[in-house]
Amino acid sequence: CLEPQPDANSGMEMPSAVANAYGGSGVDYSSLCLRSPEGVALNVSGYSEILAQSNVPKMAGFIERLVHHMGGVVNPGVDDALQTFAQGFVDGRSGGFEDLVSALGSQSTWIDYDSHAKCVASRSVQPSTIEQATDWACSQVTSFSCDD
């Protein structure tokens, strides 16, 4: 977690000094230690961490990440639909994590899933895990066809 330190000469914290110099609003220090939707697990625990923040844009970020994990893509230009969908989970009208996953799997008009996809790649997996899985899969194959 980050904590701003005062400048030895001015006594001002650097983010505040920059905000004052350029007329900005400054940094919301209360949000510096909150978990990011990009860093939490894509499960009930991660959902609960984001839900506890009562922040619609963060819930929308978690949902978009979950859609990607499920092999989908949030269509361009549907930010309002995504924000409205996220709002339902933040305020409790739409249920919990299981309801979220179910709703995302029901072919929403603002999500595009490849109906011909055979599997979904995880970009965060360790290369050694891929190697082990590939070795196992190859040891199980008795024949192979690119048409399958």
Side-chain angles (χ1 to χ4, degrees):
C1 188
L2 301 174
E3 289 188 32
Q5 299 297 311
D7 178 68
N9 295 329
S10 70
M12 288 187 74
E13 296 169 343
M14 186 56 72
S16 298
V18 172
N20 286 341
Y22 290 98
S25 60
V27 176
D28 177 6
Y29 297 118
S30 67
S31 68
L32 290 178
C33 296
L34 296 176
R35 294 290 308 263
S36 164
E38 294 298 320
V40 298
L42 292 172
N43 58 22
V44 174
S45 176
Y47 171 82
S48 297
E49 287 185 68
I50 298 303
L51 182 62
Q53 297 177 33
S54 297
N55 182 303
V56 174
K58 285 196 175 198
M59 181 59 75
F62 177 83
I63 291 170
E64 186 165 8
R65 189 168 153 239
L66 186 57
V67 167
H68 289 161
H69 183 74
M70 295 171 68
V73 176
V74 175
N75 292 323
V78 296
D79 289 340
D80 288 344
L82 175 57
Q83 296 294 320
T84 300
F85 184 75
Q87 179 69 55
F89 287 93
V90 168
D91 64 23
R93 289 180 289 121
S94 298
F97 181 74
E98 294 80 10
D99 300 302
L100 171 60
V101 173
S102 177
L104 293 178
S106 66
Q107 296 292 340
S108 175
T109 58
W110 50 272
I111 300 172
D112 185 29
Y113 290 103
D114 182 350
S115 60
H116 302 293
K118 301 286 185 190
C119 63
V120 178
S122 173
R123 305 286 184 236
S124 61
V125 71
Q126 294 293 322
S128 61
T129 303
I130 295 171
E131 181 181 7
Q132 291 171 358
T134 303
D135 288 347
W136 178 86
C138 289
S139 73
Q140 304 299 309
V141 173
T142 57
S143 66
F144 178 75
S145 169
C146 289
D147 295 331
D148 291 341

